[in-house]
Amino acid sequence: MATDIPKTEIWRPGSFTKNFSWGRPSAGLSELHYIIRLGFNGEMKDVPREEFRSRVRSAGRPDYIPINFFLFNKSVRGVDHLCADELVFQAINWEHSPRFDKLALFVFLLSLAGRWTGARREQRRPALWANAYVRERIAGRLNWETKAVSADDIERFVKTDSRYQAETTRKLATNLNYLFIGGRLKEMNTTRIERWWVDCLFLALDRIIEDRLLDRSPTSPNEYAGLLTEYGFLELTGRSTLEKKLAIKHLVTLYDACGGRNRFSDDATKERTLTLIPDVQFFVKNDPRPRGAIHSTNPRVLKSIPAACAMLAKYAGFDDLSPDDLEEFDLAEFVKRSTQAALDRLKQENIEPSMTAEELMKLMRGE
């Protein structure tokens, strides 16, 4: 069970009560997707906060909600920067999609925004009321049955909680409910692993590790799984299932092998590859597009990774998918092809069953 948020934590919504101009609900969080691409100039590099804001303002777009609630802030040699992490990776490399909407909603709920000059203490975790509503209300009491979620239900939750300290509740409740619609909260209530969920795990580790570094607290790989539990990763991403719990172990291994957030640096990835796989003969990135890493025990455990991480993914026990295969991935077809390939290998090696189907059924029935 995840550690509860301390009751002494104060919730202040700040600028979230202002209108972000998301557009029609059917547009999802496409506005955020566009602003991330614009602010980072399409590059997977940390960007000065003021440079990001200047690019966004020049396009006549609002910037406070993206930089204070969805992105991560930190100081680099005295200059405030916004970090290029999994959220930025997905926005830059893929067109807006429902997968992005759920990833963005998750990172809002995780509520780790970092620190910047002039920020108040509570702005480091700016949406704790939303985090608590999902963990305590949706996951804890409703078991992710989202039919009861509404602006009225959100308002009742914050209004009756002493942790919430603000003059208004209605505007916050309607804005959060609108975000739930755009972020496709109801689609997150699934027992199976989907690609957005896998992306969320990488994004959670990106943020948790960076947040701990703000307090000069480095994180070792053997802490990753425990920190995901501590920060309520499973509660924030739908119903907890055995399949998801088993997948965490594989994905944590992949995340570590790829070097954490250094996976976005070609130079760091090359150095890590040569360190972990010293007998590698060459390191060539023929196609710069992201590739896929898929685990042989469960093809739903599929993660998009930078092209330079392909060898590291294999080192972690994942199979490699080309950029085209990743884009056109079909689970049923993949399972069919893999099964047929396995059968062909058995046939080539003259391996045949030692009992009939009827004998096998009797064995299973205990006869």
Side-chain angles (χ1 to χ4, degrees):
M1 187 68 181
T3 304
D4 289 337
I5 300 170
K7 290 289 184 182
T8 55
E9 194 71 57
I10 295 174
W11 302 342
R12 291 194 176 99
S15 59
F16 182 74
T17 54
K18 298 176 183 177
N19 184 10
F20 181 57
S21 303
W22 292 104
R24 294 172 288 105
S26 59
L29 304 185
S30 58
E31 183 73 5
L32 176 66
H33 183 275
Y34 170 78
I35 286 176
I36 290 174
R37 282 186 161 188
L38 176 64
F40 279 88
N41 197 32
E43 298 179 328
M44 280 303 300
K45 297 178 181 178
D46 294 355
V47 61
R49 181 177 162 101
E50 284 307 313
E51 187 174 321
F52 181 101
R53 296 188 65 189
S54 177
R55 289 170 178 163
V56 173
R57 282 198 301 261
S58 67
R61 297 298 215 278
D63 61 347
Y64 280 107
I65 296 295
I67 62 179
N68 289 3
F69 287 89
F70 287 91
L71 295 169
F72 192 87
N73 299 259
K74 72 172 184 179
S75 177
V76 180
R77 293 184 290 277
V79 178
D80 294 332
H81 279 69
L82 293 165
C83 292
D85 57 17
E86 184 68 27
L87 181 67
V88 181
F89 177 65
Q90 293 295 325
I92 287 177
N93 286 286
W94 285 273
E95 297 299 324
H96 172 254
S97 69
R99 195 167 81 237
F100 174 83
D101 291 339
K102 284 173 275 195
L103 180 67
L105 176 58
F106 162 75
V107 82
F108 173 85
L109 297 173
L110 183 64
S111 191
L112 290 171
R115 275 199 307 239
W116 61 93
T117 303
R120 300 184 301 276
R121 182 183 66 85
E122 65 270 15
Q123 287 183 283
R124 185 166 169 178
R125 301 210 65 185
L128 279 179
W129 78 91
N131 180 291
Y133 179 75
V134 172
R135 294 176 69 180
E136 298 172 17
R137 174 71 174 150
I138 296 179
R141 299 175 197 168
L142 302 177
N143 192 30
W144 269 91
E145 290 294 341
T146 56
K147 291 181 181 179
V149 175
S150 66
D152 290 340
D153 192 65
I154 296 168
E155 185 174 22
R156 281 192 297 270
F157 179 83
V158 297
K159 214 172 192 177
T160 57
D161 198 303
S162 61
R163 291 172 288 183
Y164 185 77
Q165 297 185 13
E167 294 181 2
T168 178
T169 56
R170 190 61 191 173
K171 186 64 174 176
L172 173 135
T174 56
N175 281 352
L176 181 57
N177 190 55
Y178 193 90
L179 186 59
F180 281 161
I181 296 171
R184 304 173 188 271
L185 178 80
K186 293 183 178 181
E187 294 179 18
M188 294 170 73
N189 180 23
T190 174
T191 58
R192 305 312 297 261
I193 292 174
E194 297 179 358
R195 282 181 61 181
W196 65 267
W197 184 89
V198 177
D199 295 338
C200 285
L201 188 144
F202 269 52
L203 181 53
L205 289 174
D206 284 346
R207 293 293 173 95
I208 292 169
I209 292 168
E210 285 292 345
D211 185 72
R212 286 165 60 85
L213 285 174
L214 294 179
D215 299 320
R216 299 181 181 179
S217 179
T219 307
S220 65
N222 60 13
E223 296 178 275
Y224 290 169
L227 287 169
L228 289 171
T229 299
E230 180 180 335
Y231 280 81
F233 173 72
L234 286 174
E235 292 99 313
L236 293 173
T237 53
R239 294 184 186 180
S240 176
T241 64
L242 178 60
E243 182 188 31
K244 293 177 181 179
K245 291 177 181 177
L246 293 174
I248 287 176
K249 179 180 179 181
H250 299 309
L251 290 168
V252 162
T253 300
L254 177 64
Y255 182 87
D256 177 41
C258 291
R261 203 165 70 88
N262 280 336
R263 65 190 180 278
F264 302 122
S265 165
D266 282 355
D267 289 341
T269 300
K270 181 176 181 180
E271 181 178 349
R272 186 166 180 80
T273 300
L274 294 172
T275 299
L276 294 178
I277 317 173
D279 59 342
V280 66
Q281 297 299 313
F282 58 89
F283 187 89
V284 180
K285 189 175 67 170
N286 296 320
D287 191 331
R289 292 179 298 165
R291 303 182 70 85
I294 188 167
H295 203 271
S296 59
T297 63
N298 185 350
R300 289 187 178 84
V301 183
L302 170 61
K303 182 70 191 80
S304 51
I305 56 175
C309 293
M311 293 182 185
L312 293 171
K314 291 181 179 179
Y315 174 82
F318 283 70
D319 293 329
D320 178 56
L321 289 182
S322 71
D324 290 333
D325 287 341
L326 176 63
E327 287 298 317
E328 301 169 4
F329 182 77
D330 180 275
L331 178 62
E333 183 60 27
F334 178 83
V335 171
K336 182 179 178 181
R337 289 202 312 267
S338 298
T339 302
Q340 187 58 55
L343 291 173
D344 291 343
R345 284 196 299 271
L346 291 174
K347 186 175 181 180
Q348 290 173 3
E349 296 174 15
N350 295 318
I351 298 175
E352 298 179 352
S354 59
M355 64 177 66
T356 65
E358 184 179 351
E359 290 173 332
L360 180 60
M361 290 301 295
K362 286 182 178 181
L363 180 65
M364 295 178 66
R365 290 195 297 262
E367 297 178 7

